Amino acid sequence: MILFPRRETTESASSTPSISVTPTPSTISSVPSQSRGRTDSLVDGTSALLIGNSERPSPPTSVQRHLSAESSAEPAAREALNRSPSPARRRRSGSGINRTVHSVEDEEPPQSLFHLRGIQDALANARDLTTRMVNILAASALHQEPGSSIQGLYQRAVVLSEFQPPSSRTVGLVGDSGVGKSRLINSLLDKRDLARASSANGAACTCVVTEYHYHDRNDFVIDVDYFTIDDLEDQFRELLRGYREFRNNSQNMNQDEREAMKKRADLAENTFKASFGARFDNNNRLFLSSPLEEVVTTMVAWATEILPRPGALNQEGRTQESFATIDICSERLQALTSETESAVQVVSWPFIRKIRVLLRAHILSRGLIIADLPGLRDLNSARQNVTERYVRDCHQIFAVVDMGRAATNIGVQEVFALARRANLSNVGIVCTKSDDIQAREARTAWETERPTIDRLIAEINTATQSLEALETDIQEYSQGELSREEEQELIEMEREKRQLDLQENIMTVRNNKVRAALQSEYRDRSNIKTFCVSNTIYDEYRPKPVETALPFLRLSGIIELRQHCISIVAESHRRATTEYITNEIPALLGSMELWVQAGSGNASAERKQQILESVTAVESELDKLTYPTTRLSEISRSVVHTFSDVILQYMRQRARQWSLAAGNASMEWQSWHHSSFAAFCRQYGTHTTGAIGSRCWNSEAMESMTTDTTQQWDTFHIEVEAFLGRTSAFIEEVFNDIFRITNQAAASQQQTRTALRTLLATLRSRRGIVMYSIEDLTLTYHRRLSSLQTDAFSPIRTSIIGQLLEPTYRAANMECGTGSDRRRKAIITTGFRAQTLFDDHRRRFRERFVEISNELQEQMATLIAEQLAFIEADLNTLKDENVVLESERNPEFRTRLATEVERVEDELTRVRRAVEEVANAVREDVDMEG
């Protein structure tokens, strides 16, 4: 409902307008005319055209032009709102108002090559072709015969017919309680009330990572991943120390210490009460006076009773529940992540590491995972580390913030501070409550816009009077063709038309101002992706007829944000789709064609011998990919050897020097005032004060190491990249040798020429699949190397140095009372100047590098083995007598299969040509623009 400014002589002098736009009333007739004449509206609408900093539209890109050409019709929704509901037109068209609601699936796709209609049509056609192959193979009883070639072909065809580009991108939403994050997730998923916001009687827990995944079913599934007993034991120990220190020694603390320790004690008490209910209340003396390890052991025993039994866990070690309706799923989700009103009932969230919700939602079906993440200020260090690590692994992070506090919000500042320290470039901002506008305040704050606002107020007054006349006209001219409800809908459409432009203009002005403020605040990061959204507008207009709703849904910003999220995965989907059409389907067609030819050729002894010789030669070359001493079996050993020579040996030589530098850095901090020093300890070394400024102890301690190893890491990275390039070239060389051998045999052996040429084409497709997959594995490996570099050389808490120093900070934070400043400083100095610090760092660095290198080795081996199994099946089709007999015994089916394969190949050629034409057209446009 739009709030019109009351005509008052006294107005707010606030310099920062708080924005509050609420949805329009559902029926104008229900509002008294006197009330409708009020002027407190979105008027703040200060037309964007009159604002000096409004942006000019950018010229369309090549992809935009293709999208425009494919969907040139103007959306009917905006046109409908821009039309006055003429009684004459209504009489001609008869009674009836289109009540079709908006469909998320009909929203314009992102401006990317993958989402061009030509590519999407090609993908749909390719799936249809594989479905036809499934059907023709299923027509033979052989597809159910274990071990038969047709069964193998049938199973591969089924897999291809179900092809979906992989879910390979995660969008993380980070935000404090109350900023509208739950409603934002509901809007993006288009599932109202799935994720429930915090409430007075059951505040939603913001310390559990919740992922939303796609599944192609109508039910809702919740997977819960629990902390291990070892994880919980560490958390219990840390919380108990903080709880005891405050409860037993608060009288010896100064004010700063008391406030800091009270927060930790309150966190511990709340967690213990949530975890153990009445058990905690009934054993308070135990928690305060018994030996610490004894209490920890007791809590571990209690936790073991509460956690799910091993038999209740699935293969991934999680519990899983299915729900038929969204309401039941939502209730269960809230129960898992919320406090309870009961003083004795335990809750689940303290034991949960992560929750996965599986559902059918359009945005998720595009290959995305949406993650609801807690803020980065959790006092529970284990949970803060979970969040920090997760943030680092996301492909896109959005800090979610109330629009009124966007530029000054501490939570947003901490997200960008982490991004700087961890070298993250994928951080943006989502400002919620973009509709929260008060025109009266805007008029006062934006003096240059005051004449425009006054003019728009007058226009709304005039429009209100016109609507009253329009209502009379509709009633007079409808001649009974419209029901009273339809008359009111027409009146409402006209009213919303008047309001939409005003609302759109004022929100655009406010959004631009907020974006400019954010860009100024974070000017060290260029082109921050910032979205301004209104969940209120989205919720209000989502169920309304599309002609009325769509302009407002666009105004809400949700459609634009949803489009951006989908675009994140577009390029990886384009590559996967191109590979599917270019290589995977042709490889299957080649295998089917080989089966047909096996039963159609001359079964002479000479032909059999020629086939056997050719197959043996191909197998001999393929063995090069699996020899124990081949390059592929030496990947991990080779890169680890390079890592040791270039990185570890250098780090071993410099460790003593770096320890001295870290100790010297810590000595400088000794002179700080005790309150400042304690504040830095509480913030794990990264803090800002007025007297000292912004400092990061971890960064200062490891400055020598990071500076010295920069060149070493660059050298190592170049050598690894060159090695992986040589590995890819080796695989290409093996396949090229196979192609040469097969081509020569086909040229010299007339009886086997057709079969060998089919084999050659199939092998080319297999080579394409292998090289595409190796490229993907290599890209993933480089991303993991980049993450490892952050682990090794950044000062954040989840880095290696951060984890090594965390016990030092914890010990310092436990100090309080007389002499605590001296003891605290001694603990920090001892931790930072320890000679083992950089030795331990080097060992962990090596362990993580070996882990990711071994995984690369295993993934390469799995890939090669899988494709070689398919190639071996094709070779068996040529040489195995049983396969030949299988084909010979089914001449009718073989003929039908041959005909269908030929048709599918012709149609697939057209599909591939269409993909190439679209891609070439876009490339030509890009070249022309360049």
Side-chain angles (χ1 to χ4, degrees):
M1 130 182 86
I2 298 175
L3 300 178
F4 292 74
R6 288 189 176 92
R7 301 188 179 185
E8 299 171 323
T9 56
T10 303
E11 299 192 3
S12 168
S14 169
S15 62
T16 317
S18 106
I19 288 193
S20 171
V21 173
T22 46
T24 48
S26 57
T27 54
I28 189 171
S29 61
S30 65
V31 182
S33 60
Q34 183 178 2
S35 174
R36 292 200 307 269
R38 292 170 52 204
T39 49
D40 192 9
S41 150
L42 248 40
V43 208
D44 229 273
T46 59
S47 268
L49 294 175
L50 301 180
I51 301 302
N53 66 349
S54 60
E55 301 176 0
R56 294 184 178 180
S58 302
T61 66
S62 56
V63 173
Q64 287 173 327
R65 285 196 292 273
H66 279 275
L67 286 170
S68 175
E70 292 176 349
S71 55
S72 59
E74 284 293 321
R78 171 69 76 165
E79 182 182 347
L81 278 180
N82 287 336
R83 291 197 304 259
S84 293
S86 162
R89 177 161 59 243
R90 285 295 173 185
R91 287 200 303 273
R92 287 194 300 272
S93 62
S95 175
I97 293 177
N98 184 3
R99 291 186 174 82
T100 303
V101 298
H102 173 65
S103 172
V104 174
E105 288 77 8
D106 293 336
E107 291 175 3
E108 292 183 6
Q111 295 172 347
S112 63
L113 181 58
F114 173 72
H115 289 100
L116 292 177
R117 181 171 297 171
I119 301 293
Q120 290 298 305
D121 288 347
L123 176 56
N125 290 336
R127 285 200 193 100
D128 289 343
L129 294 178
T130 56
T131 300
R132 283 169 52 183
M133 289 190 284
V134 170
N135 293 336
I136 188 65
L137 291 168
S140 169
L142 288 170
H143 87 282
Q144 295 179 326
E145 185 176 310
S148 70
S149 296
I150 291 298
Q151 184 184 62
L153 294 172
Y154 172 79
Q155 292 170 346
R156 285 159 56 188
V158 169
V159 171
L160 291 182
S161 69
E162 297 170 349
F163 169 81
Q164 290 288 345
S167 298
S168 55
R169 298 293 183 269
T170 300
V171 175
L173 305 175
V174 186
D176 296 330
S177 178
V179 299
K181 188 171 54 168
S182 294
R183 293 185 67 190
L184 174 62
I185 290 171
N186 291 336
S187 298
L188 290 174
L189 296 175
D190 201 45
K191 303 290 183 184
R192 188 168 184 171
D193 295 331
L194 174 59
R196 296 190 183 180
S198 56
S199 61
N201 62 352
C205 177
T206 58
C207 55
V208 177
V209 173
T210 304
E211 296 178 344
Y212 295 88
H213 293 250
Y214 179 76
H215 73 177
D216 194 14
R217 289 162 35 184
N218 291 324
D219 63 341
F220 299 82
V221 173
I222 295 179
D223 276 356
V224 181
D225 182 13
Y226 290 88
F227 282 111
T228 66
I229 285 295
D230 290 342
D231 291 333
L232 291 172
E233 181 177 353
D234 290 340
Q235 292 184 47
F236 292 157
R237 185 176 290 109
E238 179 187 2
L239 291 168
L240 183 59
R241 283 173 176 157
Y243 178 72
R244 284 185 163 189
E245 197 63 46
F246 178 76
R247 295 289 183 248
N248 295 332
N249 299 306
S250 60
Q251 69 277 7
N252 298 322
M253 300 177 184
N254 60 40
Q255 183 176 351
D256 289 341
E257 291 172 343
R258 188 176 297 109
E259 291 177 357
M261 294 303 294
K262 185 179 186 304
K263 289 180 180 178
R264 294 183 181 278
D266 289 346
L267 168 69
E269 183 172 0
N270 292 336
T271 303
F272 293 153
K273 284 184 175 180
S275 302
F276 308 120
R279 274 179 163 173
F280 172 75
D281 292 329
N282 297 336
N283 292 275
N284 195 257
R285 181 174 298 179
L286 168 73
F287 277 77
L288 289 175
S289 58
S290 294
L292 185 140
E293 290 303 322
E294 179 181 322
V295 181
V296 171
T297 300
T298 300
M299 287 192 286
V300 167
W302 291 348
T304 303
E305 297 174 12
I306 296 169
L307 289 171
R309 300 296 180 189
L313 303 178
N314 60 19
Q315 292 181 344
E316 290 77 29
R318 300 190 292 260
T319 61
Q320 186 175 92
E321 299 175 85
S322 177
F323 308 92
T325 68
I326 191 171
D327 291 336
I328 302 175
C329 178
S330 179
E331 289 176 3
R332 179 57 177 155
L333 193 58
Q334 186 176 39
L336 289 168
T337 59
S338 300
E339 302 284 3
T340 175
E341 293 178 302
S342 171
V344 297
Q345 181 180 349
V346 300
V347 295
S348 300
W349 65 258
F351 305 100
I352 297 174
R353 180 191 299 274
K354 184 171 67 176
I355 293 174
R356 298 168 73 247
V357 182
L358 290 80
L359 69 154
R360 177 180 282 149
H362 175 69
I363 188 172
L364 303 179
S365 72
R366 303 298 90 183
L368 280 175
I369 299 168
I370 293 179
D372 181 0
L373 306 175
L376 291 167
R377 289 178 287 165
D378 198 318
L379 292 176
N380 183 324
S381 60
R383 292 191 178 279
Q384 186 183 39
N385 288 344
V386 168
T387 301
E388 186 176 285
R389 172 62 65 177
Y390 200 101
V391 165
R392 291 175 52 192
D393 291 339
C394 285
H395 297 87
Q396 173 73 64
I397 287 293
F398 282 117
V400 184
V401 61
D402 186 318
M403 192 167 193
R405 297 184 293 274
T408 59
N409 183 268
I410 295 176
V412 176
Q413 292 171 0
E414 290 186 345
V415 171
F416 278 92
L418 172 62
R420 281 189 289 269
R421 295 193 299 269
N423 298 315
L424 304 177
S425 60
N426 55 345
V427 180
I429 300 173
V430 175
C431 301
T432 60
K433 305 179 183 179
S434 66
D435 59 317
D436 191 10
I437 304 175
Q438 288 292 342
R440 190 168 56 239
E441 295 178 9
R443 185 180 183 276
T444 302
W446 302 338
E447 185 174 351
T448 57
E449 311 305 330
R450 194 172 298 166
T452 303
I453 293 176
D454 290 340
R455 174 178 60 80
L456 294 174
I457 290 173
E459 287 182 3
I460 287 185
N461 287 332
T462 302
T464 301
Q465 297 171 4
S466 299
L467 285 172
E468 293 172 355
L470 176 65
E471 182 175 7
T472 302
D473 287 345
I474 290 177
Q475 293 171 355
E476 180 179 348
Y477 288 102
S478 66
Q479 297 178 351
E481 294 180 1
L482 298 179
S483 68
R484 180 62 179 169
E485 179 185 356
E486 291 172 328
E487 292 171 1
Q488 293 301 321
E489 287 189 44
L490 290 174
I491 294 169
E492 181 67 16
M493 285 178 64
E494 179 63 19
R495 177 185 175 86
E496 288 172 338
K497 167 188 173 295
R498 304 275 184 175
Q499 293 169 340
L500 175 63
D501 291 339
L502 302 179
Q503 192 167 359
E504 185 173 33
N505 286 338
I506 194 170
M507 288 174 65
T508 300
V509 171
R510 190 7 172 35
N511 294 351
N512 287 340
K513 288 180 178 293
V514 170
R515 287 190 179 102
L518 289 169
Q519 195 64 58
S520 175
E521 176 69 20
Y522 303 105
R523 51 187 171 274
D524 60 318
R525 305 184 70 83
S526 59
N527 300 321
I528 298 173
K529 296 186 186 303
T530 304
F531 295 87
C532 302
V533 303
S534 168
N535 296 304
T536 299
I537 292 178
Y538 188 85
D539 286 347
E540 176 70 17
Y541 285 90
R542 182 65 183 87
K544 292 189 175 185
V546 64
E547 292 186 355
T548 299
L550 189 53
F552 286 93
L553 297 179
R554 287 178 176 147
L555 180 61
S556 75
I558 295 297
I559 291 179
E560 180 188 6
L561 177 57
R562 187 155 49 215
Q563 184 184 63
H564 168 76
C565 291
I566 292 173
S567 72
I568 293 171
V569 78
E571 177 56 23
S572 66
H573 279 193
R574 182 199 64 78
R575 292 183 65 248
T577 298
T578 302
E579 177 63 16
Y580 172 67
I581 294 172
T582 304
N583 287 315
E584 292 190 19
I585 298 177
L588 177 60
L589 288 172
S591 297
M592 293 168 66
E593 193 170 352
L594 285 173
W595 186 90
V596 170
Q597 292 170 356
S600 306
N602 178 9
S604 66
E606 181 182 359
R607 181 181 185 279
K608 292 179 182 178
Q609 183 61 32
Q610 290 175 347
I611 286 288
L612 182 60
E613 291 174 357
S614 299
V615 166
T616 301
V618 170
E619 289 175 334
S620 177
E621 290 297 319
L622 289 174
D623 285 343
K624 295 178 181 179
L625 299 177
T626 57
Y627 283 150
T629 57
T630 188
R631 179 184 295 272
L632 292 179
S633 64
E634 297 289 317
I635 291 176
S636 180
R637 189 194 64 79
S638 297
V639 295
V640 169
H641 179 75
T642 302
F643 180 76
S644 298
D645 281 352
V646 179
I647 301 292
L648 295 184
Q649 185 175 347
Y650 182 80
M651 296 182 75
R652 190 179 297 108
Q653 295 169 351
R654 308 283 289 184
R656 175 62 179 165
Q657 180 178 333
W658 295 338
S659 293
L660 291 173
N664 291 336
S666 70
M667 293 302 295
E668 179 200 343
W669 316 325
Q670 296 286 313
S671 61
W672 292 6
H673 188 271
H674 67 85
S675 62
S676 296
F677 193 93
F680 271 80
C681 288
R682 289 193 296 271
Q683 298 302 319
Y684 290 79
T686 301
H687 191 48
T688 302
T689 67
I692 296 174
S694 181
R695 301 283 290 270
C696 177
W697 287 355
N698 292 358
S699 179
E700 294 172 28
M702 61 190 302
E703 182 178 1
S704 293
M705 182 186 71
T706 54
T707 301
D708 292 347
T709 53
T710 297
Q711 183 175 350
Q712 300 300 122
W713 180 266
D714 290 343
T715 300
F716 164 72
H717 194 270
I718 291 171
E719 291 193 21
V720 168
E721 195 163 351
F723 174 79
L724 293 177
R726 291 193 297 272
T727 301
S728 296
F730 166 73
I731 296 172
E732 288 259 25
E733 182 181 348
V734 170
F735 273 100
N736 287 336
D737 287 343
I738 291 172
F739 299 159
R740 176 180 51 78
I741 291 170
T742 307
N743 205 26
Q744 289 175 352
S748 62
Q749 300 172 9
Q750 185 173 357
Q751 295 186 48
T752 62
R753 182 171 301 161
T754 301
L756 290 177
R757 285 179 175 173
T758 301
L759 175 64
L760 180 61
T762 305
L763 288 171
R764 291 187 188 278
S765 296
R766 290 289 166 205
R767 189 268 308 268
I769 295 170
V770 169
M771 300 314 299
Y772 165 83
S773 300
I774 286 177
E775 182 181 357
D776 260 9
L777 290 177
T778 303
L779 290 174
T780 300
Y781 183 69
H782 283 307
R783 282 195 294 269
R784 296 192 68 184
L785 279 184
S786 178
S787 179
L788 179 62
Q789 183 182 12
T790 299
D791 278 338
F793 304 121
S794 81
I796 61 178
R797 284 184 64 178
T798 53
S799 70
I800 296 175
I801 204 74
Q803 292 294 290
L804 288 172
L805 288 170
E806 185 138 333
T808 298
Y809 287 116
R810 289 181 186 174
N813 287 331
M814 290 296 106
E815 294 297 331
C816 59
T818 305
S820 61
D821 180 54
R822 175 180 51 78
R823 294 192 300 273
R824 192 179 293 119
K825 288 177 177 177
I827 290 171
I828 291 296
T829 301
T830 301
F832 274 84
R833 70 191 314 173
Q835 294 185 11
T836 59
L837 178 62
F838 289 96
D839 291 334
D840 292 340
H841 176 279
R842 185 178 66 254
R843 279 191 287 270
R844 291 198 184 185
F845 192 10
R846 183 186 186 281
E847 287 170 1
R848 296 186 187 181
F849 179 78
V850 170
E851 179 184 352
I852 67 173
S853 298
N854 286 343
E855 287 183 13
L856 175 65
Q857 174 83 63
E858 292 169 5
Q859 291 165 345
M860 286 271 199
T862 300
L863 161 67
I864 295 297
E866 181 180 85
Q867 293 305 316
L868 289 185
F870 290 139
I871 294 173
E872 189 64 34
D874 289 338
L875 297 178
N876 282 337
T877 299
L878 291 176
K879 69 177 183 178
D880 193 319
E881 282 293 329
N882 292 329
V883 177
V884 173
L885 291 174
E886 177 184 283
S887 181
E888 289 176 343
R889 286 199 307 268
N890 296 270
E892 182 180 348
F893 170 70
R894 188 176 68 244
T895 301
R896 284 191 289 122
L897 183 60
T899 302
E900 187 64 13
V901 166
E902 185 176 354
R903 290 173 179 169
V904 169
E905 285 177 337
D906 289 343
E907 294 181 37
L908 184 63
T909 299
R910 288 193 287 272
V911 169
R912 292 169 65 178
R913 188 178 300 123
V915 172
E916 292 169 359
E917 288 174 355
V918 172
N920 290 336
V922 172
R923 278 194 290 268
E924 289 174 4
D925 284 349
V926 170
D927 291 341
M928 292 177 64
E929 290 169 1

